[in-house]
Amino acid sequence: MRQLFDEQSLTTLYHGEITEFWDRHVVLGTFTGQQNVQIHYAFCEPESPRAAIVLSNGRIETLVKYKEFIYDCYRNDIAVYTMDHRGQGLSGRMAIDHQRGYVEQFDDYVVDFSVFVNDIVKPRAPSKPALVCHSMGCAIGYLTASREPELFSRVVFCSPMFGIKPTVPEPLLSVLLMSGLAANYLFGRKPWYAFGQGPYIELPFRLNTLTHSQVRYKLFREEYKRAPALQLGGVTYQWLSTAMDAMNQIEASAKNFPLPTKVLISGADRVVDNQRIHRVVQQFPDADVEVIEGARHELLFESDQYRTPAIQAVLAFVLEAETEVNNA
């Protein structure tokens, strides 16, 4: 495996080598998703790819944020195909206020993702791709792979959104959620932010709970500042309700998940519920679970001591599939 970028080199290479790579080698495109929402995607194919990845990113994220990861894959001869989920990144927003994290039903994410893989990735990919997911993208990826396991060779879940950490006790959360949905339906002309949520805020690094890497945090915040259309605020009652239904569906079906799986859990995660994640993934028929102790939620954007072993684990698992095919 070729060397990965480190924080020291990233400070000088991101706006030079990585940006030049992105402009020269990454192809951008769009397709029409559910309810005529425009979905943006990107792919990058090395000259002689050894494997392929479909990347499903997390809530509020964008393919633009993954420049470093995609270049790491490119330098290791791995093709990457990714898209921005509806309601975030470069893709179309369904709420009039584009800051509000909204989706009508979680299944819309899944149908969009299925169309992307079947219509864009499948005709181009050099081999059956592995699915690599982060956070909310894990819930989307799980549900897609459960329905169409033939699309992927195997799956990597990073800090998966199989449960989220509520800010209030669960019984109270249910009451607040039902009350908020009902009030929004009766009195609101647009989706309401859920309790405690609001517009996009650029938190100073010292207050962030996503990563220990000041360099990577600064770079992705700069991307969002340069292109304000990428910015997204907190979730709405509707998003929270449909996401909780999806997580319940995942837990109920986990024992039947059909693909070989690698699960990377961030040991110091304050976004998703690690206790519930362990409960879910222990039911998977074929899963290797690894905890990156001390890591925060965004494993692929963490400081080197956490990110490097995580990326190495992801790429090794992806390449292992190709080795098995070649030796068969």
Side-chain angles (χ1 to χ4, degrees):
M1 186 179 299
R2 293 186 177 92
Q3 187 174 0
L4 305 173
F5 281 102
D6 57 49
E7 290 167 285
Q8 185 175 353
S9 62
L10 200 59
T11 56
T12 56
L13 295 179
Y14 188 85
H15 295 297
E17 183 178 333
I18 294 178
T19 299
E20 182 182 343
F21 150 78
W22 186 266
D23 293 339
R24 291 183 57 190
H25 296 286
V26 175
V27 178
L28 304 176
T30 63
F31 68 92
T32 302
Q34 291 287 89
Q35 293 89 42
N36 294 316
V37 174
Q38 198 78 348
I39 305 297
H40 283 245
Y41 67 85
F43 63 82
C44 178
E45 299 168 325
E47 188 173 333
S48 301
R50 295 188 288 161
I53 284 174
V54 176
L55 174 65
S56 177
N57 59 35
R59 202 193 82 80
I60 81 163
E61 292 195 316
T62 169
L63 56 90
V64 176
K65 184 179 172 182
Y66 281 82
K67 290 179 180 179
E68 181 189 8
F69 175 74
I70 294 173
Y71 194 20
D72 277 331
C73 291
Y74 178 83
R75 296 200 302 171
N76 282 277
D77 300 317
I78 298 173
V80 179
Y81 306 84
T82 187
M83 56 168 270
D84 280 354
H85 301 298
R86 62 179 46 234
Q88 62 186 52
L90 298 166
S91 290
R93 314 279 171 109
M94 292 75 67
I96 296 173
D97 180 353
H98 288 184
Q99 284 280 316
R100 296 176 189 241
Y102 174 82
V103 70
E104 186 173 331
Q105 52 186 1
F106 207 87
D107 197 58
D108 289 342
Y109 289 134
V110 179
V111 174
D112 289 343
F113 198 62
S114 174
V115 170
F116 172 60
V117 179
N118 277 292
D119 293 357
I120 309 298
V121 179
K122 199 172 177 181
R124 299 195 57 94
S127 57
K128 182 178 286 191
L131 174 59
V132 177
C133 316
H134 168 67
S135 196
M136 182 188 80
C138 296
I140 296 168
Y142 174 99
L143 293 170
T144 306
S146 293
R147 295 179 191 181
E148 300 179 89
E150 70 280 359
L151 292 179
F152 309 106
S153 61
R154 50 183 49 201
V155 183
V156 181
F157 294 125
C158 299
S159 310
M161 192 190 81
F162 297 159
I164 54 178
K165 286 191 174 180
T167 55
V168 296
E170 285 198 19
L172 178 57
L173 174 64
S174 298
V175 171
L176 290 172
L177 181 55
M178 288 189 293
S179 300
L181 280 170
N184 193 175
Y185 178 78
L186 291 172
F187 305 113
R189 289 181 295 176
K190 58 184 179 182
W192 289 357
Y193 282 117
F195 40 87
Q197 303 288 299
Y200 175 86
I201 299 175
E202 184 177 335
L203 287 174
F205 174 74
R206 69 180 184 278
L207 298 180
N208 102 89
T209 59
L210 301 176
T211 175
H212 291 94
S213 174
Q214 188 165 2
V215 172
R216 292 187 173 99
Y217 186 81
K218 178 175 179 287
L219 288 171
F220 96 71
R221 289 299 188 189
E222 284 178 357
E223 292 283 7
Y224 283 50
K225 188 178 293 185
R226 256 194 309 275
L230 298 174
Q231 297 173 9
L232 184 66
V235 302
T236 56
Y237 284 108
Q238 179 61 27
W239 183 94
L240 185 57
S241 175
T242 196
M244 290 179 69
D245 287 344
M247 289 183 282
N248 290 337
Q249 182 182 342
I250 289 167
E251 183 165 8
S253 64
K255 64 180 181 297
N256 298 317
F257 190 68
L259 292 169
T261 306
K262 177 80 174 181
V263 183
L264 296 176
I265 296 176
S266 304
D269 207 315
R270 294 171 61 186
V271 177
V272 293
D273 182 353
N274 281 349
Q275 185 175 356
R276 187 175 187 187
I277 291 168
H278 279 289
R279 190 169 74 228
V280 171
V281 302
Q282 283 172 0
Q283 299 181 61
F284 287 180
D286 183 5
D288 176 35
V289 181
E290 182 177 345
V291 178
I292 310 293
E293 295 293 352
R296 290 178 176 171
H297 183 61
E298 295 201 351
L299 267 179
L300 304 183
F301 298 89
E302 256 288 17
S303 57
D304 295 339
Q305 70 182 100
Y306 307 114
R307 181 184 188 268
T308 298
I311 298 288
Q312 288 173 337
V314 170
L315 300 190
F317 189 70
V318 168
L319 291 170
E320 184 181 284
E322 297 306 308
T323 302
E324 289 176 355
V325 169
N326 294 332
N327 291 339

